[in-house]
Amino acid sequence: MKLYDYILSPSCYKVRLMAALTGVKLEFRPVDFHPGLEHRGPELLALNPAGSIPILEDGDLILTESSAILVYLAAQAAPDWLASAKPEEAARVQQWLSFSGRLTANLGGARLHEMLLRPGDLDALQAQGIAALRELEAGLVEQNLRGMRFLAADRPTVADISCFPYVALAPDGGVSLDPYPAIRLWSRALRSLDGFIEMPGIHRLHELKAEPTVEESKV
């Protein structure tokens, strides 16, 4: 399988992370996303008329949406990362996969504005991102009350990987994660998985500051 990849793209990182966690071997084809805009050139537009990355090429199959690529990789190597036969679990996975698109639009849009000076209403993007983080925090708190650490089940699924990168990189767009303890604990749970890999701006577990203890949080 060949991945058309940009090292600083959270959407591409989702695919690299999923492959690392499930043991799928990928061939990487670097794309000059910035400043070269290669993703809008004729070669890549022939593969993906939307002019976006990642693109996964596996023989005659071309996939151009990160969520679809995650599902494909999981189906190939680790079906337990997909929903079980339980209707509520399958629905939660699909719900959070759809939700991840909003994170790409708002938190990702704010990040592109701040890092690459892409046009956009930064205040609006940040406000939308904060609203999405509050929704994610509430969902994780509900899962914690069910005794689950992850978004859709008692184990990580493609839903977690789809949502994680743009959340972890929210500070790049000027949105702090300090108000969201459940999100930070979820992030730590994902970083502790065997096979976890980093990208610029997303560090390994041992590089994070420790969460405050109950006593420290009262000071």
Side-chain angles (χ1 to χ4, degrees), residues 108-189:
R111 181 173 180 267
L112 285 173
H113 186 283
E114 291 288 82
M115 295 185 67
L116 301 183
L117 303 179
R118 291 291 177 86
D121 184 336
L122 181 60
D123 289 340
L125 290 169
Q126 290 174 334
Q128 292 162 11
I130 289 169
L133 288 174
R134 289 173 176 167
E135 186 175 338
L136 179 63
E137 178 79 2
L140 285 166
V141 169
E142 288 182 7
Q143 283 292 88
N144 292 339
L145 292 174
R146 298 185 184 106
M148 302 182 190
R149 292 191 298 166
F150 300 102
L151 281 174
D154 58 358
R155 66 189 190 285
T157 68
V158 292
D160 298 282
I161 304 306
S162 190
C163 291
F164 171 69
Y166 283 101
V167 170
L169 292 168
D172 286 350
V175 178
S176 173
L177 295 177
D178 289 347
Y180 311 108
I183 287 176
R184 297 197 306 275
L185 291 174
W186 167 72
S187 172
R188 286 176 177 273

Side-chain angles (χ1 to χ4, degrees), residues 26-166:
L26 295 177
E27 174 189 347
F28 296 102
R29 173 14 181 114
V31 174
D32 184 3
F33 181 87
H34 180 81
L37 300 179
E38 186 184 4
H39 56 298
R40 297 179 184 171
E43 177 189 355
L44 295 194
L45 284 176
L47 295 174
N48 181 13
S52 63
I53 51 174
I55 301 169
L56 184 76
E57 188 174 18
D58 187 17
D60 294 333
L61 177 67
I62 304 293
L63 295 174
T64 61
E65 296 293 336
S66 61
S67 292
I69 296 173
L70 297 184
V71 169
Y72 183 69
L73 295 183
Q76 293 286 316
D80 56 317
W81 282 81
L82 301 172
S84 71
K86 297 177 182 177
E88 64 273 19
E89 184 177 307
R92 287 195 196 105
V93 168
Q94 290 301 319
Q95 175 174 289
W96 290 114
L97 285 175
S98 297
F99 174 83
S100 70
R102 288 165 49 197
L103 298 174
T104 302
N106 46 58
L107 294 178
R111 181 173 180 267
L112 285 173
H113 186 283
E114 291 288 82
M115 295 185 67
L116 301 183
L117 303 179
R118 291 291 177 86
D121 184 336
L122 181 60
D123 289 340
L125 290 169
Q126 290 174 334
Q128 292 162 11
I130 289 169
L133 288 174
R134 289 173 176 167
E135 186 175 338
L136 179 63
E137 178 79 2
L140 285 166
V141 169
E142 288 182 7
Q143 283 292 88
N144 292 339
L145 292 174
R146 298 185 184 106
M148 302 182 190
R149 292 191 298 166
F150 300 102
L151 281 174
D154 58 358
R155 66 189 190 285
T157 68
V158 292
D160 298 282
I161 304 306
S162 190
C163 291
F164 171 69
Y166 283 101

